[in-house]
Amino acid sequence: DAGVTQSPTHLIKTRGQHVTLRCSPISGHKSVSWYQQVLGQGPQFIFQYYEKEERGRGNFPDRFSARQFPNYSSELNVNALLLGDSALYLCASSHRTGGTQPQHFGDGTRLSIL
Amino acid sequence: SQQGEEDPQALSIQEGENATMNCSYKTSINNLQWYRQNSGRGLVHLILIRSNEREKHSGRLRVTLDTSKKSSSLLITASRAADTASYFCATDAETGGFKTIFGAGTRLFVKA
């Protein structure tokens, strides 16, 4: 079975622009989570979606939004990009919501803001 | 802010030696998980230990959990060069919605 896939793998944007990152979960997984990982740090939780509903939100500004589609794929949108948004954005899927499930990660989208 | 903090931040050992990494957290948990990340890649789940468990094994991995001290340790025995990676602990929090909180990680380098 295919693992979690993310697109694009790399992206370069300038300050003030908008970006959309995409994630396809493992087949059968209904939960998708998004993380931001700055170089040298651990992943920071942004959102979790389960059955198309938001189940958790991290400490990120309203410029960050996400949604989950009927096929359980997900998009992360970031508006008014800042230099500090440069990071690796990771998507993870699991069968169900909650912390009892191992999460399966994609290899991320590397976002660079100029 | 990150709930989990790993110690040490970096560790360099020879192949065949054991590697021990520690994680501390701040609030009550239902379970704690350990993940591994190779450079530039996504994280890979290693092991999950529930709050009512004290020790768990998986191959060359041994995880302990001390809820009274709010700490966990990951031991990798007979390390290999391929174990070179960053290792993170992660805990769940369910206040105001669900969150997974990762520590800053331990960077392990195993010399062949």
PDB file of all heavy atoms in Angstrom, chain A residues 22-55:
ATOM      1  N   ARG A  22      -0.788  19.881   0.036  1.00  0.00           N
ATOM      2  CA  ARG A  22      -1.742  18.788  -0.081  1.00  0.00           C
ATOM      3  C   ARG A  22      -1.199  17.497   0.522  1.00  0.00           C
ATOM      4  O   ARG A  22       0.003  17.253   0.495  1.00  0.00           O
ATOM      5  CB  ARG A  22      -2.131  18.591  -1.535  1.00  0.00           C
ATOM      6  CG  ARG A  22      -2.878  19.788  -2.120  1.00  0.00           C
ATOM      7  CD  ARG A  22      -3.241  19.646  -3.572  1.00  0.00           C
ATOM      8  NE  ARG A  22      -4.055  20.765  -4.028  1.00  0.00           N
ATOM      9  CZ  ARG A  22      -3.597  21.958  -4.387  1.00  0.00           C
ATOM     10  NH1 ARG A  22      -2.275  22.176  -4.378  1.00  0.00           N
ATOM     11  NH2 ARG A  22      -4.409  22.914  -4.765  1.00  0.00           N
ATOM     12  N   CYS A  23      -2.132  16.682   0.995  1.00  0.00           N
ATOM     13  CA  CYS A  23      -1.761  15.436   1.665  1.00  0.00           C
ATOM     14  C   CYS A  23      -2.780  14.353   1.332  1.00  0.00           C
ATOM     15  O   CYS A  23      -3.995  14.576   1.450  1.00  0.00           O
ATOM     16  CB  CYS A  23      -1.707  15.667   3.168  1.00  0.00           C
ATOM     17  SG  CYS A  23      -1.497  14.165   4.155  1.00  0.00           S
ATOM     18  N   SER A  24      -2.284  13.178   0.949  1.00  0.00           N
ATOM     19  CA  SER A  24      -3.149  12.011   0.768  1.00  0.00           C
ATOM     20  C   SER A  24      -2.790  10.977   1.815  1.00  0.00           C
ATOM     21  O   SER A  24      -1.642  10.522   1.869  1.00  0.00           O
ATOM     22  CB  SER A  24      -2.967  11.416  -0.631  1.00  0.00           C
ATOM     23  OG  SER A  24      -3.445  12.303  -1.605  1.00  0.00           O
ATOM     24  N   PRO A  25      -3.732  10.592   2.666  1.00  0.00           N
ATOM     25  CA  PRO A  25      -3.426   9.645   3.746  1.00  0.00           C
ATOM     26  C   PRO A  25      -3.314   8.217   3.223  1.00  0.00           C
ATOM     27  O   PRO A  25      -3.654   7.933   2.077  1.00  0.00           O
ATOM     28  CB  PRO A  25      -4.636   9.782   4.679  1.00  0.00           C
ATOM     29  CG  PRO A  25      -5.756  10.147   3.767  1.00  0.00           C
ATOM     30  CD  PRO A  25      -5.146  11.007   2.691  1.00  0.00           C
ATOM     31  N   ILE A  26      -2.857   7.341   4.080  1.00  0.00           N
ATOM     32  CA  ILE A  26      -2.844   5.916   3.779  1.00  0.00           C
ATOM     33  C   ILE A  26      -4.290   5.462   3.605  1.00  0.00           C
ATOM     34  O   ILE A  26      -5.185   5.900   4.350  1.00  0.00           O
ATOM     35  CB  ILE A  26      -2.143   5.140   4.901  1.00  0.00           C
ATOM     36  CG1 ILE A  26      -0.640   5.440   4.882  1.00  0.00           C
ATOM     37  CG2 ILE A  26      -2.389   3.636   4.795  1.00  0.00           C
ATOM     38  CD1 ILE A  26       0.130   4.847   6.043  1.00  0.00           C
ATOM     39  N   SER A  27      -4.518   4.571   2.644  1.00  0.00           N
ATOM     40  CA  SER A  27      -5.863   4.077   2.397  1.00  0.00           C
ATOM     41  C   SER A  27      -6.461   3.475   3.662  1.00  0.00           C
ATOM     42  O   SER A  27      -5.833   2.651   4.338  1.00  0.00           O
ATOM     43  CB  SER A  27      -5.812   3.011   1.290  1.00  0.00           C
ATOM     44  OG  SER A  27      -7.102   2.491   1.058  1.00  0.00           O
ATOM     45  N   GLY A  28      -7.678   3.906   3.995  1.00  0.00           N
ATOM     46  CA  GLY A  28      -8.336   3.416   5.198  1.00  0.00           C
ATOM     47  C   GLY A  28      -8.155   4.301   6.412  1.00  0.00           C
ATOM     48  O   GLY A  28      -8.867   4.142   7.407  1.00  0.00           O
ATOM     49  N   HIS A  29      -7.208   5.218   6.360  1.00  0.00           N
ATOM     50  CA  HIS A  29      -6.997   6.158   7.464  1.00  0.00           C
ATOM     51  C   HIS A  29      -7.958   7.327   7.325  1.00  0.00           C
ATOM     52  O   HIS A  29      -8.064   7.935   6.265  1.00  0.00           O
ATOM     53  CB  HIS A  29      -5.553   6.669   7.478  1.00  0.00           C
ATOM     54  CG  HIS A  29      -4.568   5.666   7.965  1.00  0.00           C
ATOM     55  ND1 HIS A  29      -3.260   5.991   8.256  1.00  0.00           N
ATOM     56  CD2 HIS A  29      -4.697   4.347   8.241  1.00  0.00           C
ATOM     57  CE1 HIS A  29      -2.625   4.904   8.673  1.00  0.00           C
ATOM     58  NE2 HIS A  29      -3.479   3.897   8.658  1.00  0.00           N
ATOM     59  N   LYS A  30      -8.622   7.664   8.416  1.00  0.00           N
ATOM     60  CA  LYS A  30      -9.615   8.729   8.395  1.00  0.00           C
ATOM     61  C   LYS A  30      -9.157   9.994   9.102  1.00  0.00           C
ATOM     62  O   LYS A  30      -9.854  10.995   9.084  1.00  0.00           O
ATOM     63  CB  LYS A  30     -10.925   8.236   9.010  1.00  0.00           C
ATOM     64  CG  LYS A  30     -11.549   7.065   8.260  1.00  0.00           C
ATOM     65  CD  LYS A  30     -12.859   6.644   8.884  1.00  0.00           C
ATOM     66  CE  LYS A  30     -13.502   5.506   8.062  1.00  0.00           C
ATOM     67  NZ  LYS A  30     -14.789   5.081   8.657  1.00  0.00           N
ATOM     68  N   SER A  31      -8.010   9.938   9.746  1.00  0.00           N
ATOM     69  CA  SER A  31      -7.503  11.088  10.489  1.00  0.00           C
ATOM     70  C   SER A  31      -6.227  11.614   9.837  1.00  0.00           C
ATOM     71  O   SER A  31      -5.334  10.842   9.475  1.00  0.00           O
ATOM     72  CB  SER A  31      -7.214  10.691  11.938  1.00  0.00           C
ATOM     73  OG  SER A  31      -6.694  11.785  12.651  1.00  0.00           O
ATOM     74  N   VAL A  32      -6.155  12.929   9.710  1.00  0.00           N
ATOM     75  CA  VAL A  32      -4.972  13.591   9.152  1.00  0.00           C
ATOM     76  C   VAL A  32      -4.560  14.714  10.095  1.00  0.00           C
ATOM     77  O   VAL A  32      -5.407  15.488  10.553  1.00  0.00           O
ATOM     78  CB  VAL A  32      -5.265  14.163   7.752  1.00  0.00           C
ATOM     79  CG1 VAL A  32      -4.121  15.067   7.299  1.00  0.00           C
ATOM     80  CG2 VAL A  32      -5.467  13.046   6.743  1.00  0.00           C
ATOM     81  N   SER A  33      -3.267  14.780  10.361  1.00  0.00           N
ATOM     82  CA  SER A  33      -2.722  15.860  11.188  1.00  0.00           C
ATOM     83  C   SER A  33      -1.642  16.591  10.400  1.00  0.00           C
ATOM     84  O   SER A  33      -0.955  15.993   9.575  1.00  0.00           O
ATOM     85  CB  SER A  33      -2.113  15.314  12.482  1.00  0.00           C
ATOM     86  OG  SER A  33      -3.097  14.688  13.275  1.00  0.00           O
ATOM     87  N   TRP A  34      -1.494  17.882  10.706  1.00  0.00           N
ATOM     88  CA  TRP A  34      -0.471  18.704  10.073  1.00  0.00           C
ATOM     89  C   TRP A  34       0.487  19.221  11.142  1.00  0.00           C
ATOM     90  O   TRP A  34       0.074  19.587  12.248  1.00  0.00           O
ATOM     91  CB  TRP A  34      -1.120  19.900   9.372  1.00  0.00           C
ATOM     92  CG  TRP A  34      -1.823  19.558   8.099  1.00  0.00           C
ATOM     93  CD1 TRP A  34      -3.153  19.314   7.932  1.00  0.00           C
ATOM     94  CD2 TRP A  34      -1.237  19.446   6.803  1.00  0.00           C
ATOM     95  NE1 TRP A  34      -3.419  19.039   6.619  1.00  0.00           N
ATOM     96  CE2 TRP A  34      -2.266  19.125   5.898  1.00  0.00           C
ATOM     97  CE3 TRP A  34       0.072  19.583   6.303  1.00  0.00           C
ATOM     98  CZ2 TRP A  34      -2.045  18.940   4.533  1.00  0.00           C
ATOM     99  CZ3 TRP A  34       0.304  19.394   4.948  1.00  0.00           C
ATOM    100  CH2 TRP A  34      -0.746  19.080   4.083  1.00  0.00           C
ATOM    101  N   TYR A  35       1.775  19.276  10.767  1.00  0.00           N
ATOM    102  CA  TYR A  35       2.821  19.753  11.671  1.00  0.00           C
ATOM    103  C   TYR A  35       3.754  20.692  10.916  1.00  0.00           C
ATOM    104  O   TYR A  35       3.978  20.526   9.716  1.00  0.00           O
ATOM    105  CB  TYR A  35       3.656  18.592  12.217  1.00  0.00           C
ATOM    106  CG  TYR A  35       2.881  17.622  13.065  1.00  0.00           C
ATOM    107  CD1 TYR A  35       2.193  16.561  12.488  1.00  0.00           C
ATOM    108  CD2 TYR A  35       2.835  17.760  14.446  1.00  0.00           C
ATOM    109  CE1 TYR A  35       1.477  15.665  13.260  1.00  0.00           C
ATOM    110  CE2 TYR A  35       2.128  16.871  15.236  1.00  0.00           C
ATOM    111  CZ  TYR A  35       1.453  15.827  14.633  1.00  0.00           C
ATOM    112  OH  TYR A  35       0.745  14.947  15.410  1.00  0.00           O
ATOM    113  N   GLN A  36       4.321  21.643  11.651  1.00  0.00           N
ATOM    114  CA  GLN A  36       5.372  22.507  11.124  1.00  0.00           C
ATOM    115  C   GLN A  36       6.664  22.145  11.847  1.00  0.00           C
ATOM    116  O   GLN A  36       6.683  22.093  13.080  1.00  0.00           O
ATOM    117  CB  GLN A  36       5.031  23.980  11.374  1.00  0.00           C
ATOM    118  CG  GLN A  36       6.092  24.950  10.863  1.00  0.00           C
ATOM    119  CD  GLN A  36       5.919  26.348  11.443  1.00  0.00           C
ATOM    120  OE1 GLN A  36       6.093  26.578  12.634  1.00  0.00           O
ATOM    121  NE2 GLN A  36       5.580  27.304  10.570  1.00  0.00           N
ATOM    122  N   GLN A  37       7.727  21.906  11.085  1.00  0.00           N
ATOM    123  CA  GLN A  37       9.006  21.586  11.706  1.00  0.00           C
ATOM    124  C   GLN A  37      10.077  22.549  11.209  1.00  0.00           C
ATOM    125  O   GLN A  37      10.490  22.502  10.051  1.00  0.00           O
ATOM    126  CB  GLN A  37       9.430  20.151  11.419  1.00  0.00           C
ATOM    127  CG  GLN A  37      10.685  19.737  12.185  1.00  0.00           C
ATOM    128  CD  GLN A  37      11.071  18.283  11.972  1.00  0.00           C
ATOM    129  OE1 GLN A  37      10.745  17.687  10.948  1.00  0.00           O
ATOM    130  NE2 GLN A  37      11.745  17.695  12.951  1.00  0.00           N
ATOM    131  N   VAL A  38      10.520  23.398  12.106  1.00  0.00           N
ATOM    132  CA  VAL A  38      11.619  24.307  11.811  1.00  0.00           C
ATOM    133  C   VAL A  38      12.925  23.554  12.014  1.00  0.00           C
ATOM    134  O   VAL A  38      13.022  22.684  12.882  1.00  0.00           O
ATOM    135  CB  VAL A  38      11.534  25.542  12.739  1.00  0.00           C
ATOM    136  CG1 VAL A  38      12.734  26.447  12.535  1.00  0.00           C
ATOM    137  CG2 VAL A  38      10.246  26.297  12.496  1.00  0.00           C
ATOM    138  N   LEU A  39      13.925  23.884  11.214  1.00  0.00           N
ATOM    139  CA  LEU A  39      15.206  23.180  11.256  1.00  0.00           C
ATOM    140  C   LEU A  39      15.770  23.107  12.670  1.00  0.00           C
ATOM    141  O   LEU A  39      15.860  24.118  13.364  1.00  0.00           O
ATOM    142  CB  LEU A  39      16.199  23.898  10.334  1.00  0.00           C
ATOM    143  CG  LEU A  39      17.495  23.130  10.017  1.00  0.00           C
ATOM    144  CD1 LEU A  39      17.174  21.852   9.269  1.00  0.00           C
ATOM    145  CD2 LEU A  39      18.445  24.009   9.207  1.00  0.00           C
ATOM    146  N   GLY A  40      16.097  21.899  13.099  1.00  0.00           N
ATOM    147  CA  GLY A  40      16.703  21.693  14.402  1.00  0.00           C
ATOM    148  C   GLY A  40      15.716  21.560  15.548  1.00  0.00           C
ATOM    149  O   GLY A  40      16.129  21.402  16.706  1.00  0.00           O
ATOM    150  N   GLN A  41      14.420  21.604  15.248  1.00  0.00           N
ATOM    151  CA  GLN A  41      13.402  21.491  16.294  1.00  0.00           C
ATOM    152  C   GLN A  41      12.469  20.321  16.021  1.00  0.00           C
ATOM    153  O   GLN A  41      12.486  19.729  14.943  1.00  0.00           O
ATOM    154  CB  GLN A  41      12.592  22.790  16.375  1.00  0.00           C
ATOM    155  CG  GLN A  41      13.430  24.000  16.787  1.00  0.00           C
ATOM    156  CD  GLN A  41      12.586  25.246  16.934  1.00  0.00           C
ATOM    157  OE1 GLN A  41      11.356  25.173  17.076  1.00  0.00           O
ATOM    158  NE2 GLN A  41      13.233  26.404  16.922  1.00  0.00           N
ATOM    159  N   GLY A  42      11.652  20.003  17.007  1.00  0.00           N
ATOM    160  CA  GLY A  42      10.653  18.967  16.828  1.00  0.00           C
ATOM    161  C   GLY A  42       9.435  19.506  16.089  1.00  0.00           C
ATOM    162  O   GLY A  42       9.242  20.718  15.983  1.00  0.00           O
ATOM    163  N   PRO A  43       8.602  18.618  15.562  1.00  0.00           N
ATOM    164  CA  PRO A  43       7.382  19.062  14.872  1.00  0.00           C
ATOM    165  C   PRO A  43       6.439  19.777  15.825  1.00  0.00           C
ATOM    166  O   PRO A  43       6.256  19.353  16.967  1.00  0.00           O
ATOM    167  CB  PRO A  43       6.764  17.754  14.374  1.00  0.00           C
ATOM    168  CG  PRO A  43       7.878  16.758  14.371  1.00  0.00           C
ATOM    169  CD  PRO A  43       8.766  17.150  15.494  1.00  0.00           C
ATOM    170  N   GLN A  44       5.828  20.860  15.339  1.00  0.00           N
ATOM    171  CA  GLN A  44       4.821  21.608  16.101  1.00  0.00           C
ATOM    172  C   GLN A  44       3.449  21.306  15.517  1.00  0.00           C
ATOM    173  O   GLN A  44       3.230  21.467  14.317  1.00  0.00           O
ATOM    174  CB  GLN A  44       5.101  23.109  16.001  1.00  0.00           C
ATOM    175  CG  GLN A  44       6.394  23.547  16.679  1.00  0.00           C
ATOM    176  CD  GLN A  44       6.244  23.659  18.180  1.00  0.00           C
ATOM    177  OE1 GLN A  44       5.220  24.117  18.673  1.00  0.00           O
ATOM    178  NE2 GLN A  44       7.252  23.228  18.915  1.00  0.00           N
ATOM    179  N   PHE A  45       2.529  20.892  16.364  1.00  0.00           N
ATOM    180  CA  PHE A  45       1.183  20.516  15.939  1.00  0.00           C
ATOM    181  C   PHE A  45       0.416  21.731  15.438  1.00  0.00           C
ATOM    182  O   PHE A  45       0.358  22.766  16.117  1.00  0.00           O
ATOM    183  CB  PHE A  45       0.459  19.867  17.123  1.00  0.00           C
ATOM    184  CG  PHE A  45      -0.968  19.505  16.862  1.00  0.00           C
ATOM    185  CD1 PHE A  45      -1.291  18.333  16.210  1.00  0.00           C
ATOM    186  CD2 PHE A  45      -1.988  20.331  17.280  1.00  0.00           C
ATOM    187  CE1 PHE A  45      -2.615  17.991  15.985  1.00  0.00           C
ATOM    188  CE2 PHE A  45      -3.317  20.005  17.060  1.00  0.00           C
ATOM    189  CZ  PHE A  45      -3.631  18.826  16.413  1.00  0.00           C
ATOM    190  N   ILE A  46      -0.204  21.591  14.243  1.00  0.00           N
ATOM    191  CA  ILE A  46      -1.005  22.682  13.684  1.00  0.00           C
ATOM    192  C   ILE A  46      -2.489  22.337  13.757  1.00  0.00           C
ATOM    193  O   ILE A  46      -3.281  23.076  14.331  1.00  0.00           O
ATOM    194  CB  ILE A  46      -0.625  22.994  12.219  1.00  0.00           C
ATOM    195  CG1 ILE A  46       0.885  23.187  12.064  1.00  0.00           C
ATOM    196  CG2 ILE A  46      -1.361  24.257  11.757  1.00  0.00           C
ATOM    197  CD1 ILE A  46       1.322  23.404  10.607  1.00  0.00           C
ATOM    198  N   PHE A  47      -2.891  21.220  13.119  1.00  0.00           N
ATOM    199  CA  PHE A  47      -4.293  20.805  13.087  1.00  0.00           C
ATOM    200  C   PHE A  47      -4.394  19.284  13.099  1.00  0.00           C
ATOM    201  O   PHE A  47      -3.483  18.587  12.669  1.00  0.00           O
ATOM    202  CB  PHE A  47      -4.970  21.246  11.773  1.00  0.00           C
ATOM    203  CG  PHE A  47      -5.226  22.705  11.617  1.00  0.00           C
ATOM    204  CD1 PHE A  47      -4.488  23.447  10.712  1.00  0.00           C
ATOM    205  CD2 PHE A  47      -6.218  23.341  12.346  1.00  0.00           C
ATOM    206  CE1 PHE A  47      -4.709  24.795  10.550  1.00  0.00           C
ATOM    207  CE2 PHE A  47      -6.450  24.689  12.195  1.00  0.00           C
ATOM    208  CZ  PHE A  47      -5.698  25.420  11.295  1.00  0.00           C
ATOM    209  N   GLN A  48      -5.542  18.783  13.571  1.00  0.00           N
ATOM    210  CA  GLN A  48      -5.932  17.421  13.307  1.00  0.00           C
ATOM    211  C   GLN A  48      -7.371  17.412  12.802  1.00  0.00           C
ATOM    212  O   GLN A  48      -8.243  18.092  13.366  1.00  0.00           O
ATOM    213  CB  GLN A  48      -5.833  16.503  14.519  1.00  0.00           C
ATOM    214  CG  GLN A  48      -6.140  15.051  14.115  1.00  0.00           C
ATOM    215  CD  GLN A  48      -6.188  14.083  15.272  1.00  0.00           C
ATOM    216  OE1 GLN A  48      -7.197  13.972  15.941  1.00  0.00           O
ATOM    217  NE2 GLN A  48      -5.091  13.373  15.478  1.00  0.00           N
ATOM    218  N   TYR A  49      -7.602  16.637  11.747  1.00  0.00           N
ATOM    219  CA  TYR A  49      -8.935  16.443  11.199  1.00  0.00           C
ATOM    220  C   TYR A  49      -9.289  14.962  11.254  1.00  0.00           C
ATOM    221  O   TYR A  49      -8.431  14.095  11.034  1.00  0.00           O
ATOM    222  CB  TYR A  49      -9.006  16.933   9.753  1.00  0.00           C
ATOM    223  CG  TYR A  49      -9.249  18.411   9.648  1.00  0.00           C
ATOM    224  CD1 TYR A  49      -8.212  19.317   9.897  1.00  0.00           C
ATOM    225  CD2 TYR A  49     -10.507  18.919   9.345  1.00  0.00           C
ATOM    226  CE1 TYR A  49      -8.438  20.681   9.842  1.00  0.00           C
ATOM    227  CE2 TYR A  49     -10.740  20.286   9.292  1.00  0.00           C
ATOM    228  CZ  TYR A  49      -9.692  21.147   9.541  1.00  0.00           C
ATOM    229  OH  TYR A  49      -9.927  22.497   9.489  1.00  0.00           O
ATOM    230  N   TYR A  50     -10.545  14.699  11.543  1.00  0.00           N
ATOM    231  CA  TYR A  50     -11.052  13.331  11.570  1.00  0.00           C
ATOM    232  C   TYR A  50     -12.469  13.355  11.037  1.00  0.00           C
ATOM    233  O   TYR A  50     -13.292  14.145  11.496  1.00  0.00           O
ATOM    234  CB  TYR A  50     -11.027  12.756  12.986  1.00  0.00           C
ATOM    235  CG  TYR A  50     -11.620  11.371  13.099  1.00  0.00           C
ATOM    236  CD1 TYR A  50     -10.981  10.283  12.523  1.00  0.00           C
ATOM    237  CD2 TYR A  50     -12.810  11.156  13.784  1.00  0.00           C
ATOM    238  CE1 TYR A  50     -11.514   9.009  12.620  1.00  0.00           C
ATOM    239  CE2 TYR A  50     -13.355   9.891  13.890  1.00  0.00           C
ATOM    240  CZ  TYR A  50     -12.707   8.822  13.309  1.00  0.00           C
ATOM    241  OH  TYR A  50     -13.224   7.564  13.403  1.00  0.00           O
ATOM    242  N   GLU A  51     -12.733  12.496  10.066  1.00  0.00           N
ATOM    243  CA  GLU A  51     -14.059  12.470   9.442  1.00  0.00           C
ATOM    244  C   GLU A  51     -14.507  13.867   9.007  1.00  0.00           C
ATOM    245  O   GLU A  51     -15.650  14.272   9.228  1.00  0.00           O
ATOM    246  CB  GLU A  51     -15.086  11.847  10.386  1.00  0.00           C
ATOM    247  CG  GLU A  51     -14.906  10.363  10.615  1.00  0.00           C
ATOM    248  CD  GLU A  51     -15.410   9.519   9.436  1.00  0.00           C
ATOM    249  OE1 GLU A  51     -15.612  10.047   8.312  1.00  0.00           O
ATOM    250  OE2 GLU A  51     -15.592   8.298   9.621  1.00  0.00           O
ATOM    251  N   LYS A  52     -13.546  14.580   8.449  1.00  0.00           N
ATOM    252  CA  LYS A  52     -13.794  15.892   7.826  1.00  0.00           C
ATOM    253  C   LYS A  52     -14.073  17.010   8.824  1.00  0.00           C
ATOM    254  O   LYS A  52     -14.448  18.116   8.415  1.00  0.00           O
ATOM    255  CB  LYS A  52     -14.930  15.801   6.783  1.00  0.00           C
ATOM    256  CG  LYS A  52     -14.606  14.772   5.685  1.00  0.00           C
ATOM    257  CD  LYS A  52     -15.727  14.640   4.682  1.00  0.00           C
ATOM    258  CE  LYS A  52     -16.901  13.866   5.262  1.00  0.00           C
ATOM    259  NZ  LYS A  52     -16.537  12.465   5.585  1.00  0.00           N
ATOM    260  N   GLU A  53     -13.917  16.718  10.088  1.00  0.00           N
ATOM    261  CA  GLU A  53     -14.117  17.751  11.108  1.00  0.00           C
ATOM    262  C   GLU A  53     -12.804  18.036  11.842  1.00  0.00           C
ATOM    263  O   GLU A  53     -12.022  17.121  12.102  1.00  0.00           O
ATOM    264  CB  GLU A  53     -15.183  17.318  12.114  1.00  0.00           C
ATOM    265  CG  GLU A  53     -16.579  17.253  11.542  1.00  0.00           C
ATOM    266  CD  GLU A  53     -17.619  17.005  12.610  1.00  0.00           C
ATOM    267  OE1 GLU A  53     -17.254  16.992  13.808  1.00  0.00           O
ATOM    268  OE2 GLU A  53     -18.790  16.830  12.259  1.00  0.00           O
ATOM    269  N   GLU A  54     -12.613  19.301  12.218  1.00  0.00           N
ATOM    270  CA  GLU A  54     -11.435  19.675  12.989  1.00  0.00           C
ATOM    271  C   GLU A  54     -11.559  19.138  14.406  1.00  0.00           C
ATOM    272  O   GLU A  54     -12.546  19.406  15.097  1.00  0.00           O
ATOM    273  CB  GLU A  54     -11.280  21.196  13.015  1.00  0.00           C
ATOM    274  CG  GLU A  54     -10.055  21.669  13.779  1.00  0.00           C
ATOM    275  CD  GLU A  54      -9.983  23.187  13.848  1.00  0.00           C
ATOM    276  OE1 GLU A  54      -9.973  23.855  12.804  1.00  0.00           O
ATOM    277  OE2 GLU A  54      -9.928  23.711  14.994  1.00  0.00           O
ATOM    278  N   ARG A  55     -10.555  18.377  14.847  1.00  0.00           N
ATOM    279  CA  ARG A  55     -10.594  17.795  16.188  1.00  0.00           C
ATOM    280  C   ARG A  55      -9.541  18.387  17.115  1.00  0.00           C
ATOM    281  O   ARG A  55      -9.561  18.133  18.317  1.00  0.00           O
ATOM    282  CB  ARG A  55     -10.390  16.278  16.116  1.00  0.00           C
ATOM    283  CG  ARG A  55     -11.473  15.568  15.356  1.00  0.00           C
ATOM    284  CD  ARG A  55     -12.853  15.802  15.959  1.00  0.00           C
ATOM    285  NE  ARG A  55     -13.915  15.111  15.235  1.00  0.00           N
ATOM    286  CZ  ARG A  55     -14.427  13.950  15.614  1.00  0.00           C
ATOM    287  NH1 ARG A  55     -13.988  13.354  16.711  1.00  0.00           N
ATOM    288  NH2 ARG A  55     -15.374  13.385  14.906  1.00  0.00           N
TER     289      ARG A  55
END
